[in-house]
Amino acid sequence: MSEENLVIDKKAVGLRIKQIRFNKGCTLESFGKLFGARKGNVQQWEKGFTLPNKKRLASISKMADMTVNELLYGKENLNFDELFEKIMTRPKGEIIDLITKLT
C-alpha cells in the first residue's frame, strides 16, 4: 500500500508526540517553545485534534530519532532486520529499559 493511501490516525500521532515529550522531560509549554508553538497547540496535537505542520513534524521526528513516516504511521512497517538494527545500535541500558517497558 502506498503512503498516499494510508490514513493518518491523529490520535495515535498525538500519543506518540506525548510520549516523545514525556521522554524528553518537557512540559507542554517548554515542548511547544522548541518548535515555535504555544502550549495550546501541543495540547491539540496530543489529543489528536490537529497535526503539527510539516516543519514541526520534521523537527519532532528528528528530536525523537525517527522518520516523519514513523511519527505519522507508527513503526509497524519495519521489517525484523530494520527493527533489530535499530535496537542493537542503542546503548545497552536503553535496550534493557525498552525490554522492561514492553514486558
Coordinates of all heavy atoms in Angstrom, one line a residue:
M1 N 0.9 -1.2 0.0 CA 0.0 0.0 0.0 C 0.9 1.2 0.0 O 1.8 1.3 0.8 CB -0.9 0.0 1.3 CG -1.8 1.2 1.4 SD -2.8 1.1 2.9 CE -3.7 -0.3 2.7
S2 N 0.7 2.2 -0.9 CA 1.5 3.4 -0.9 C 1.1 4.3 0.2 O 0.0 4.2 0.8 CB 1.3 4.1 -2.3 OG 0.0 4.6 -2.4
E3 N 2.0 5.2 0.5 CA 1.7 6.2 1.6 C 0.5 7.1 1.4 O -0.1 7.5 2.3 CB 3.0 7.0 1.9 CG 4.1 6.2 2.5 CD 5.4 7.0 2.6 OE1 5.3 8.3 2.6 OE2 6.4 6.4 2.7
E4 N 0.3 7.4 0.1 CA -0.9 8.2 -0.2 C -2.2 7.6 0.2 O -3.2 8.3 0.5 CB -0.9 8.5 -1.7 CG 0.3 9.2 -2.3 CD 1.4 8.3 -2.7 OE1 1.1 7.2 -3.2 OE2 2.6 8.7 -2.4
N5 N -2.2 6.2 0.3 CA -3.4 5.5 0.6 C -3.6 5.3 2.1 O -4.6 4.8 2.6 CB -3.5 4.2 -0.1 CG -3.6 4.3 -1.6 OD1 -4.1 5.3 -2.1 ND2 -3.1 3.4 -2.3
L6 N -2.5 5.6 2.9 CA -2.6 5.4 4.3 C -3.3 6.6 5.0 O -3.1 7.8 4.6 CB -1.2 5.4 4.9 CG -0.3 4.1 4.5 CD1 1.1 4.2 5.1 CD2 -1.0 2.9 5.0
V7 N -4.1 6.3 5.9 CA -4.9 7.3 6.7 C -4.1 7.6 7.9 O -3.6 6.7 8.6 CB -6.3 6.7 7.0 CG1 -7.0 7.7 7.9 CG2 -7.1 6.4 5.8
I8 N -3.9 8.8 8.2 CA -3.2 9.2 9.4 C -4.1 9.2 10.6 O -5.2 9.9 10.6 CB -2.6 10.6 9.3 CG1 -1.6 10.6 8.1 CG2 -1.9 11.1 10.6 CD1 -1.0 12.0 7.8
D9 N -3.8 8.4 11.6 CA -4.6 8.3 12.8 C -4.1 9.4 13.7 O -3.0 9.3 14.4 CB -4.4 7.0 13.5 CG -5.2 6.8 14.7 OD1 -5.6 7.8 15.3 OD2 -5.3 5.6 15.2
K10 N -4.8 10.6 13.8 CA -4.3 11.7 14.6 C -4.2 11.4 16.0 O -3.3 11.9 16.7 CB -5.3 12.9 14.4 CG -5.2 13.5 13.0 CD -6.2 14.7 12.9 CE -6.3 15.2 11.5 NZ -7.3 16.3 11.4
K11 N -5.0 10.6 16.6 CA -4.9 10.2 18.0 C -3.7 9.5 18.3 O -3.0 9.7 19.3 CB -6.2 9.5 18.5 CG -7.4 10.3 18.6 CD -8.5 9.6 19.4 CE -9.7 10.5 19.4 NZ -9.6 11.6 20.3
A12 N -3.3 8.5 17.4 CA -2.1 7.8 17.5 C -0.9 8.7 17.4 O 0.1 8.5 18.2 CB -2.0 6.6 16.5
V13 N -0.9 9.6 16.4 CA 0.2 10.6 16.3 C 0.3 11.4 17.6 O 1.4 11.6 18.1 CB 0.0 11.5 15.1 CG1 1.1 12.5 15.0 CG2 0.0 10.7 13.8
G14 N -0.8 11.8 18.1 CA -0.8 12.6 19.3 C -0.2 11.8 20.5 O 0.6 12.4 21.3
L15 N -0.5 10.5 20.6 CA 0.1 9.7 21.7 C 1.6 9.6 21.5 O 2.3 9.6 22.5 CB -0.6 8.3 21.7 CG -2.0 8.3 22.2 CD1 -2.6 6.9 22.0 CD2 -2.1 8.8 23.6
R16 N 2.0 9.5 20.2 CA 3.5 9.4 20.0 C 4.2 10.7 20.4 O 5.2 10.7 21.0 CB 3.8 9.0 18.5 CG 3.5 7.5 18.2 CD 3.9 7.1 16.9 NE 3.1 7.4 15.8 CZ 2.0 6.7 15.4 NH1 1.7 5.6 16.1 NH2 1.2 7.1 14.4
I17 N 3.5 11.8 20.0 CA 4.1 13.1 20.4 C 4.2 13.3 21.9 O 5.2 13.7 22.4 CB 3.3 14.3 19.7 CG1 3.5 14.2 18.2 CG2 3.7 15.6 20.3 CD1 2.6 15.2 17.4
K18 N 3.1 12.9 22.6 CA 3.1 13.0 24.0 C 4.2 12.1 24.6 O 4.8 12.6 25.6 CB 1.7 12.5 24.5 CG 1.5 12.7 26.0 CD 0.0 12.4 26.4 CE -0.3 12.9 27.8 NZ -1.7 12.7 28.1
Q19 N 4.4 10.9 24.1 CA 5.4 10.1 24.6 C 6.8 10.7 24.4 O 7.7 10.6 25.3 CB 5.4 8.7 23.9 CG 6.3 7.7 24.6 CD 6.0 7.4 26.0 OE1 4.8 7.1 26.4 NE2 6.9 7.6 26.9
I20 N 7.0 11.3 23.2 CA 8.3 12.0 22.9 C 8.5 13.1 24.0 O 9.6 13.3 24.5 CB 8.3 12.5 21.5 CG1 8.3 11.4 20.5 CG2 9.4 13.5 21.3 CD1 8.0 11.8 19.1
R21 N 7.4 13.9 24.2 CA 7.5 15.0 25.2 C 7.9 14.5 26.6 O 8.8 15.0 27.2 CB 6.2 15.8 25.2 CG 6.2 16.9 26.2 CD 5.0 17.8 26.1 NE 3.8 17.1 26.5 CZ 3.4 17.0 27.7 NH1 4.1 17.4 28.8 NH2 2.2 16.4 28.0
F22 N 7.2 13.4 27.0 CA 7.5 12.8 28.3 C 8.9 12.3 28.4 O 9.6 12.5 29.3 CB 6.5 11.7 28.6 CG 5.2 12.1 29.1 CD1 4.1 11.3 29.1 CD2 4.9 13.4 29.5 CE1 2.8 11.6 29.5 CE2 3.7 13.8 29.9 CZ 2.6 12.9 29.9
N23 N 9.3 11.6 27.3 CA 10.7 11.1 27.3 C 11.8 12.1 27.4 O 12.9 11.9 27.9 CB 10.9 10.2 26.0 CG 10.2 8.9 26.0 OD1 9.6 8.5 27.0 ND2 10.1 8.3 24.8
K24 N 11.5 13.3 26.8 CA 12.4 14.5 26.9 C 12.2 15.3 28.2 O 13.0 16.2 28.4 CB 12.2 15.4 25.7 CG 12.5 14.7 24.4 CD 14.0 14.2 24.3 CE 14.2 13.5 23.0 NZ 15.6 13.0 22.9
G25 N 11.3 14.9 29.0 CA 11.1 15.6 30.3 C 10.5 17.1 30.1 O 10.8 17.9 30.9
C26 N 9.8 17.3 29.1 CA 9.3 18.6 28.8 C 7.9 18.8 29.3 O 7.1 17.9 29.2 CB 9.3 18.9 27.3 SG 10.9 19.0 26.5
T27 N 7.6 20.1 29.6 CA 6.2 20.5 29.9 C 5.6 20.8 28.5 O 6.3 20.9 27.5 CB 6.1 21.7 30.8 OG1 6.7 22.8 30.0 CG2 6.8 21.5 32.1
L28 N 4.3 20.9 28.5 CA 3.6 21.3 27.3 C 4.2 22.6 26.7 O 4.5 22.8 25.6 CB 2.1 21.5 27.5 CG 1.3 20.3 27.7 CD1 -0.1 20.6 28.3 CD2 1.1 19.5 26.5
E29 N 4.4 23.6 27.6 CA 4.9 24.9 27.3 C 6.4 24.8 26.7 O 6.7 25.4 25.7 CB 4.8 25.8 28.4 CG 5.2 27.3 28.1 CD 4.9 28.2 29.2 OE1 4.6 27.8 30.3 OE2 5.1 29.5 28.9
S30 N 7.2 24.1 27.5 CA 8.6 24.0 27.0 C 8.8 23.2 25.7 O 9.6 23.6 24.9 CB 9.5 23.4 28.1 OG 9.2 22.1 28.4
F31 N 8.0 22.2 25.6 CA 8.0 21.4 24.3 C 7.6 22.3 23.1 O 8.2 22.3 22.1 CB 7.1 20.2 24.4 CG 7.2 19.2 23.3 CD1 8.3 18.3 23.3 CD2 6.3 19.1 22.3 CE1 8.4 17.4 22.3 CE2 6.4 18.2 21.3 CZ 7.5 17.3 21.3
G32 N 6.5 23.1 23.3 CA 6.0 24.0 22.3 C 7.0 25.0 21.9 O 7.2 25.3 20.7
K33 N 7.7 25.5 22.9 CA 8.7 26.6 22.6 C 9.9 26.0 21.7 O 10.4 26.8 20.9 CB 9.3 27.1 23.9 CG 8.4 28.1 24.6 CD 9.1 28.6 25.9 CE 8.1 29.6 26.6 NZ 8.8 30.2 27.8
L34 N 10.2 24.8 21.8 CA 11.2 24.2 21.0 C 10.8 24.2 19.5 O 11.7 24.2 18.6 CB 11.4 22.7 21.3 CG 12.0 22.4 22.7 CD1 11.9 20.9 23.0 CD2 13.4 22.9 22.8
F35 N 9.5 24.3 19.2 CA 9.0 24.3 17.8 C 8.3 25.6 17.4 O 7.6 25.6 16.4 CB 8.2 23.1 17.6 CG 8.8 21.8 18.1 CD1 8.4 21.2 19.3 CD2 9.9 21.3 17.4 CE1 9.1 20.1 19.7 CE2 10.5 20.1 17.8 CZ 10.1 19.5 19.0
G36 N 8.4 26.6 18.3 CA 7.7 27.8 18.0 C 6.2 27.7 18.0 O 5.5 28.4 17.3
A37 N 5.7 26.9 19.0 CA 4.3 26.6 19.1 C 3.9 27.0 20.6 O 4.7 26.9 21.5 CB 4.0 25.2 18.8
R38 N 2.6 27.2 20.7 CA 2.1 27.5 22.0 C 1.7 26.2 22.7 O 1.5 25.2 22.1 CB 0.8 28.4 21.9 CG 1.2 29.8 21.4 CD -0.1 30.7 21.4 NE -1.3 30.0 21.0 CZ -1.8 30.0 19.7 NH1 -1.2 30.6 18.8 NH2 -2.9 29.4 19.5
K39 N 1.5 26.3 24.0 CA 1.1 25.2 24.9 C -0.2 24.6 24.3 O -0.4 23.4 24.2 CB 0.9 25.7 26.3 CG 0.3 24.7 27.3 CD 0.1 25.3 28.6 CE -0.6 24.4 29.6 NZ -0.8 25.1 30.9
G40 N -1.1 25.5 23.9 CA -2.4 25.0 23.4 C -2.3 24.2 22.1 O -3.0 23.3 21.9
N41 N -1.3 24.6 21.3 CA -1.0 23.8 20.0 C -0.6 22.4 20.4 O -1.1 21.4 19.8 CB 0.1 24.5 19.2 CG -0.3 25.8 18.7 OD1 0.3 26.8 19.0 ND2 -1.3 25.9 17.8
V42 N 0.3 22.3 21.4 CA 0.8 21.0 21.8 C -0.3 20.1 22.3 O -0.5 18.9 22.0 CB 2.0 21.1 22.8 CG1 2.5 19.7 23.2 CG2 3.1 21.9 22.2
Q43 N -1.2 20.7 23.1 CA -2.4 20.0 23.6 C -3.2 19.5 22.5 O -3.7 18.4 22.5 CB -3.2 20.9 24.5 CG -2.5 21.2 25.9 CD -3.3 22.2 26.7 OE1 -3.8 23.2 26.2 NE2 -3.5 21.9 28.0
Q44 N -3.4 20.3 21.5 CA -4.3 19.9 20.3 C -3.6 18.7 19.6 O -4.3 17.8 19.2 CB -4.5 21.1 19.4 CG -5.2 22.3 19.9 CD -6.7 21.9 20.2 OE1 -7.4 21.5 19.3 NE2 -7.2 22.1 21.4
W45 N -2.3 18.8 19.4 CA -1.6 17.6 18.8 C -1.8 16.4 19.6 O -2.1 15.3 19.1 CB -0.1 17.9 18.6 CG 0.3 19.2 17.9 CD1 -0.5 19.9 17.0 CD2 1.5 19.9 18.0 NE1 0.2 21.0 16.6 CE2 1.5 21.0 17.2 CE3 2.7 19.7 18.8 CZ2 2.5 21.9 17.0 CZ3 3.7 20.5 18.6 CH2 3.7 21.6 17.8
E46 N -1.5 16.5 20.9 CA -1.5 15.3 21.8 C -2.9 14.7 21.9 O -3.0 13.5 22.1 CB -1.0 15.6 23.2 CG 0.5 15.9 23.1 CD 1.1 16.2 24.5 OE1 0.4 16.1 25.5 OE2 2.4 16.4 24.6
K47 N -3.9 15.5 21.8 CA -5.3 15.0 21.9 C -5.8 14.4 20.5 O -6.9 13.9 20.4 CB -6.2 16.1 22.4 CG -6.0 16.4 23.8 CD -6.9 17.5 24.3 CE -6.7 17.8 25.8 NZ -7.6 18.9 26.3
G48 N -5.0 14.7 19.5 CA -5.3 14.2 18.2 C -6.3 15.1 17.4 O -7.0 14.6 16.5
F49 N -6.5 16.3 17.9 CA -7.4 17.2 17.2 C -6.8 17.8 15.9 O -7.4 18.1 15.0 CB -7.8 18.3 18.1 CG -8.6 17.9 19.3 CD1 -8.5 18.5 20.5 CD2 -9.5 16.8 19.2 CE1 -9.3 18.1 21.6 CE2 -10.3 16.4 20.3 CZ -10.1 17.0 21.5
T50 N -5.5 18.1 16.0 CA -4.7 18.7 14.9 C -3.4 18.0 14.8 O -2.9 17.3 15.7 CB -4.5 20.2 15.0 OG1 -3.7 20.4 16.2 CG2 -5.8 20.9 15.1
L51 N -2.7 18.2 13.7 CA -1.3 17.8 13.5 C -0.4 18.9 13.4 O -0.8 20.0 12.9 CB -1.2 16.9 12.2 CG -1.9 15.6 12.1 CD1 -1.9 15.0 10.7 CD2 -1.3 14.6 13.1
P52 N 0.8 18.8 13.8 CA 1.8 19.9 13.6 C 2.0 20.1 12.1 O 1.8 19.1 11.3 CB 3.1 19.3 14.2 CG 2.7 18.2 15.1 CD 1.4 17.6 14.5
N53 N 2.5 21.2 11.7 CA 2.8 21.5 10.3 C 4.0 20.6 9.9 O 4.7 20.0 10.7 CB 3.0 23.0 10.0 CG 4.2 23.6 10.7 OD1 5.2 22.9 10.9 ND2 4.0 24.9 11.0
K54 N 4.3 20.6 8.6 CA 5.4 19.8 8.1 C 6.7 20.1 8.7 O 7.5 19.2 9.1 CB 5.5 19.9 6.5 CG 4.4 19.3 5.8 CD 4.6 19.5 4.3 CE 3.5 18.9 3.5 NZ 3.7 18.9 2.1
K55 N 7.0 21.3 8.9 CA 8.3 21.7 9.5 C 8.4 21.2 10.9 O 9.4 20.7 11.4 CB 8.5 23.2 9.5 CG 9.8 23.7 10.0 CD 9.9 25.3 9.9 CE 11.2 25.7 10.5 NZ 11.3 27.2 10.5
R56 N 7.3 21.4 11.7 CA 7.3 20.9 13.1 C 7.3 19.4 13.1 O 8.0 18.8 14.0 CB 6.1 21.4 13.8 CG 6.2 22.9 14.1 CD 5.0 23.5 14.7 NE 5.1 24.9 15.0 CZ 4.2 25.8 15.0 NH1 2.9 25.4 14.8 NH2 4.4 27.0 15.3
L57 N 6.6 18.7 12.2 CA 6.7 17.2 12.2 C 8.1 16.8 12.0 O 8.6 15.8 12.7 CB 5.8 16.7 11.1 CG 4.3 16.7 11.3 CD1 3.6 16.3 10.0 CD2 4.0 15.7 12.4
A58 N 8.8 17.4 11.1 CA 10.2 17.1 10.8 C 11.1 17.3 12.0 O 11.9 16.4 12.4 CB 10.8 17.8 9.6
S59 N 10.9 18.4 12.7 CA 11.7 18.7 13.9 C 11.4 17.7 15.1 O 12.3 17.3 15.8 CB 11.4 20.1 14.4 OG 11.8 21.1 13.4
I60 N 10.1 17.4 15.3 CA 9.7 16.5 16.3 C 10.3 15.1 16.0 O 10.8 14.4 16.9 CB 8.2 16.4 16.5 CG1 7.7 17.8 17.0 CG2 7.8 15.3 17.5 CD1 6.2 18.0 17.0
S61 N 10.2 14.7 14.8 CA 10.7 13.4 14.4 C 12.2 13.3 14.6 O 12.8 12.3 15.2 CB 10.5 13.1 12.9 OG 9.1 13.1 12.7
K62 N 12.9 14.4 14.2 CA 14.4 14.4 14.4 C 14.7 14.3 15.9 O 15.6 13.6 16.3 CB 15.0 15.7 13.8 CG 16.5 15.8 13.9 CD 17.0 17.0 13.1 CE 18.5 17.0 13.2 NZ 19.0 18.2 12.4
M63 N 14.0 15.1 16.7 CA 14.2 15.0 18.2 C 14.1 13.6 18.7 O 14.8 13.2 19.6 CB 13.2 15.9 18.9 CG 13.3 15.8 20.4 SD 11.9 16.7 21.2 CE 12.7 18.2 21.6
A64 N 13.1 12.9 18.2 CA 12.8 11.5 18.7 C 13.6 10.4 17.9 O 13.5 9.3 18.2 CB 11.3 11.2 18.5
D65 N 14.5 10.9 17.0 CA 15.3 9.9 16.3 C 14.5 8.9 15.5 O 14.7 7.7 15.6 CB 16.3 9.2 17.2 CG 17.4 8.4 16.4 OD1 17.7 8.8 15.3 OD2 17.9 7.4 16.9
M66 N 13.5 9.5 14.8 CA 12.6 8.7 14.0 C 12.3 9.4 12.7 O 12.6 10.6 12.6 CB 11.3 8.3 14.7 CG 10.4 9.5 15.1 SD 8.8 9.1 15.8 CE 9.1 7.9 17.0
T67 N 11.8 8.7 11.7 CA 11.4 9.4 10.5 C 10.0 10.0 10.7 O 9.2 9.7 11.6 CB 11.3 8.4 9.3 OG1 10.2 7.5 9.5 CG2 12.6 7.7 9.1
V68 N 9.7 11.0 9.8 CA 8.3 11.6 9.8 C 7.3 10.5 9.6 O 6.2 10.5 10.3 CB 8.2 12.7 8.8 CG1 6.8 13.2 8.7 CG2 9.1 13.8 9.1
N69 N 7.6 9.5 8.7 CA 6.6 8.4 8.5 C 6.4 7.6 9.7 O 5.3 7.2 10.0 CB 7.1 7.5 7.3 CG 6.8 8.1 6.0 OD1 6.1 9.1 5.9 ND2 7.4 7.5 5.0
E70 N 7.4 7.4 10.5 CA 7.3 6.6 11.8 C 6.4 7.4 12.7 O 5.6 6.8 13.5 CB 8.6 6.3 12.4 CG 9.4 5.3 11.6 CD 10.8 5.1 12.1 OE1 11.4 6.0 12.7 OE2 11.4 4.0 11.9
L71 N 6.6 8.7 12.8 CA 5.8 9.6 13.7 C 4.3 9.5 13.2 O 3.4 9.4 14.0 CB 6.3 11.0 13.7 CG 5.6 12.0 14.5 CD1 5.5 11.6 16.0 CD2 6.2 13.4 14.4
L72 N 4.1 9.6 11.9 CA 2.7 9.7 11.4 C 2.0 8.3 11.4 O 0.8 8.2 11.7 CB 2.7 10.2 10.0 CG 3.1 11.7 9.8 CD1 3.1 12.1 8.4 CD2 2.1 12.6 10.6
Y73 N 2.8 7.3 11.1 CA 2.1 6.0 10.8 C 2.5 4.9 11.8 O 2.0 3.8 11.8 CB 2.4 5.5 9.4 CG 2.0 6.5 8.4 CD1 2.9 7.2 7.6 CD2 0.6 6.7 8.1 CE1 2.5 8.1 6.6 CE2 0.2 7.6 7.1 CZ 1.1 8.3 6.4 OH 0.7 9.2 5.5
G74 N 3.5 5.2 12.7 CA 4.0 4.2 13.6 C 5.1 3.3 13.0 O 5.4 3.5 11.8
K75 N 5.6 2.4 13.8 CA 6.8 1.7 13.3 C 6.4 0.2 12.9 O 7.2 -0.6 12.7 CB 7.8 1.6 14.4 CG 8.4 2.9 14.8 CD 9.5 2.8 15.8 CE 10.0 4.2 16.1 NZ 11.2 4.1 16.9
E76 N 5.1 0.0 12.8 CA 4.7 -1.4 12.4 C 5.2 -1.9 11.1 O 5.4 -3.1 10.9 CB 3.1 -1.5 12.4 CG 2.4 -1.2 13.7 CD 2.2 0.3 13.8 OE1 2.1 1.1 12.8 OE2 2.2 0.8 15.0
N77 N 5.6 -1.0 10.2 CA 6.0 -1.4 8.9 C 7.5 -1.7 8.8 O 8.0 -2.0 7.8 CB 5.7 -0.3 7.8 CG 6.3 1.0 8.1 OD1 6.9 1.2 9.2 ND2 6.1 2.0 7.2
L78 N 8.2 -1.6 10.0 CA 9.6 -2.0 10.0 C 9.7 -3.5 9.9 O 9.0 -4.3 10.6 CB 10.3 -1.6 11.3 CG 10.6 -0.1 11.5 CD1 11.2 0.1 12.9 CD2 11.5 0.4 10.5
N79 N 10.6 -4.0 9.0 CA 10.8 -5.5 9.0 C 11.7 -5.9 10.1 O 12.3 -5.0 10.8 CB 11.3 -5.9 7.6 CG 12.7 -5.5 7.3 OD1 13.6 -5.4 8.2 ND2 13.0 -5.1 6.1
F80 N 11.9 -7.1 10.4 CA 12.6 -7.6 11.5 C 14.1 -7.1 11.5 O 14.6 -6.7 12.5 CB 12.6 -9.2 11.6 CG 13.4 -9.7 12.7 CD1 12.9 -9.7 14.0 CD2 14.7 -10.2 12.5 CE1 13.7 -10.2 15.0 CE2 15.4 -10.7 13.5 CZ 14.9 -10.7 14.8
D81 N 14.7 -7.2 10.3 CA 16.1 -6.7 10.2 C 16.3 -5.3 10.6 O 17.2 -4.9 11.3 CB 16.7 -7.0 8.8 CG 16.8 -8.5 8.5 OD1 17.0 -9.3 9.4 OD2 16.7 -8.8 7.3
E82 N 15.4 -4.4 10.1 CA 15.4 -3.0 10.5 C 15.2 -2.8 12.0 O 15.9 -2.0 12.6 CB 14.4 -2.2 9.7 CG 14.6 -2.1 8.2 CD 13.5 -1.5 7.4 OE1 12.3 -1.8 7.7 OE2 13.8 -0.7 6.5
L83 N 14.2 -3.5 12.5 CA 14.0 -3.4 13.9 C 15.2 -3.8 14.8 O 15.6 -3.2 15.7 CB 12.7 -4.2 14.3 CG 12.2 -4.1 15.7 CD1 12.0 -2.7 16.1 CD2 11.0 -5.0 15.9
F84 N 15.7 -5.0 14.4 CA 16.9 -5.5 15.1 C 18.0 -4.5 15.1 O 18.7 -4.2 16.1 CB 17.3 -6.8 14.5 CG 18.4 -7.5 15.2 CD1 18.2 -8.2 16.4 CD2 19.7 -7.4 14.7 CE1 19.3 -8.8 17.1 CE2 20.8 -8.0 15.3 CZ 20.6 -8.7 16.5
E85 N 18.3 -3.9 13.9 CA 19.4 -3.0 13.7 C 19.1 -1.7 14.6 O 20.1 -1.2 15.3 CB 19.5 -2.5 12.3 CG 20.6 -1.6 12.0 CD 22.0 -2.1 12.2 OE1 22.2 -3.4 12.1 OE2 22.9 -1.3 12.5
K86 N 17.9 -1.2 14.6 CA 17.6 -0.1 15.4 C 17.8 -0.4 16.9 O 18.3 0.5 17.7 CB 16.1 0.4 15.2 CG 16.0 1.2 14.0 CD 14.6 1.8 13.9 CE 14.4 2.7 12.8 NZ 14.9 4.1 13.1
I87 N 17.4 -1.6 17.4 CA 17.6 -1.9 18.8 C 19.0 -2.1 19.1 O 19.5 -1.6 20.1 CB 16.8 -3.2 19.1 CG1 15.3 -2.9 19.0 CG2 17.1 -3.7 20.5 CD1 14.4 -4.1 19.1
M88 N 19.8 -2.8 18.3 CA 21.2 -3.2 18.6 C 22.1 -2.0 18.5 O 23.2 -2.1 19.1 CB 21.6 -4.3 17.7 CG 20.9 -5.6 17.9 SD 20.6 -6.1 19.7 CE 22.3 -6.5 20.2
T89 N 21.7 -0.9 17.9 CA 22.6 0.2 17.9 C 22.4 1.2 19.1 O 23.1 2.1 19.2 CB 22.4 1.1 16.5 OG1 21.1 1.4 16.5 CG2 22.8 0.2 15.3
R90 N 21.5 0.8 19.9 CA 21.2 1.6 21.1 C 22.2 1.2 22.2 O 22.6 0.0 22.3 CB 19.8 1.4 21.6 CG 18.7 1.8 20.6 CD 18.2 3.1 21.0 NE 17.1 3.4 20.1 CZ 16.8 4.7 19.8 NH1 17.4 5.6 20.4 NH2 15.8 5.0 19.0
P91 N 22.5 2.1 23.2 CA 23.3 1.6 24.3 C 22.5 0.5 25.1 O 21.3 0.5 25.1 CB 23.4 2.9 25.2 CG 23.1 4.0 24.2 CD 22.2 3.5 23.2
K92 N 23.3 -0.3 25.8 CA 22.8 -1.5 26.5 C 21.7 -1.1 27.5 O 20.6 -1.7 27.6 CB 23.9 -2.2 27.2 CG 23.5 -3.4 27.9 CD 24.7 -4.1 28.6 CE 24.3 -5.4 29.3 NZ 25.4 -6.0 29.9
G93 N 21.9 0.0 28.2 CA 20.9 0.5 29.2 C 19.6 0.8 28.6 O 18.5 0.5 29.1
E94 N 19.6 1.4 27.4 CA 18.3 1.8 26.7 C 17.6 0.5 26.2 O 16.4 0.5 26.3 CB 18.6 2.7 25.5 CG 18.9 4.1 25.8 CD 19.1 5.0 24.6 OE1 18.5 4.6 23.5 OE2 19.8 6.0 24.7
I95 N 18.4 -0.5 25.8 CA 17.8 -1.7 25.4 C 17.1 -2.4 26.5 O 15.9 -2.9 26.4 CB 18.8 -2.7 24.7 CG1 19.4 -2.1 23.5 CG2 18.2 -4.1 24.5 CD1 20.6 -2.8 22.9
I96 N 17.7 -2.4 27.7 CA 17.1 -3.0 28.9 C 15.9 -2.3 29.3 O 14.8 -2.9 29.6 CB 18.2 -3.1 30.0 CG1 19.3 -4.1 29.7 CG2 17.5 -3.5 31.4 CD1 20.5 -4.0 30.6
D97 N 15.9 -0.9 29.3 CA 14.7 -0.1 29.6 C 13.6 -0.4 28.6 O 12.4 -0.5 29.0 CB 15.1 1.4 29.5 CG 16.0 1.8 30.7 OD1 16.1 1.1 31.7 OD2 16.5 2.9 30.6
L98 N 13.9 -0.5 27.3 CA 12.9 -0.8 26.3 C 12.2 -2.2 26.6 O 11.0 -2.3 26.6 CB 13.5 -0.8 24.9 CG 12.6 -1.1 23.8 CD1 11.4 -0.1 23.7 CD2 13.3 -1.1 22.5
I99 N 13.0 -3.2 26.8 CA 12.5 -4.5 27.1 C 11.6 -4.5 28.3 O 10.6 -5.1 28.4 CB 13.6 -5.5 27.2 CG1 14.3 -5.7 25.8 CG2 13.1 -6.9 27.7 CD1 15.6 -6.5 25.8
T100 N 12.1 -3.8 29.4 CA 11.3 -3.7 30.6 C 10.0 -3.1 30.4 O 9.0 -3.5 30.9 CB 12.1 -2.9 31.7 OG1 13.4 -3.5 31.8 CG2 11.4 -2.8 33.0
K101 N 9.9 -2.0 29.6 CA 8.7 -1.3 29.3 C 7.7 -2.2 28.5 O 6.5 -2.1 28.6 CB 8.9 0.0 28.5 CG 9.5 1.1 29.3 CD 9.8 2.3 28.4 CE 10.5 3.4 29.2 NZ 10.8 4.5 28.3
L102 N 8.3 -3.1 27.6 CA 7.4 -4.0 26.8 C 6.9 -5.2 27.6 O 5.9 -5.8 27.1 CB 8.2 -4.5 25.6 CG 8.6 -3.4 24.6 CD1 9.5 -4.0 23.5 CD2 7.4 -2.7 24.0
T103 N 7.5 -5.5 28.7 CA 7.0 -6.7 29.4 C 6.1 -6.3 30.6 O 5.9 -5.2 30.9 CB 8.2 -7.5 30.0 OG1 9.0 -6.6 30.8 CG2 9.0 -8.1 28.8

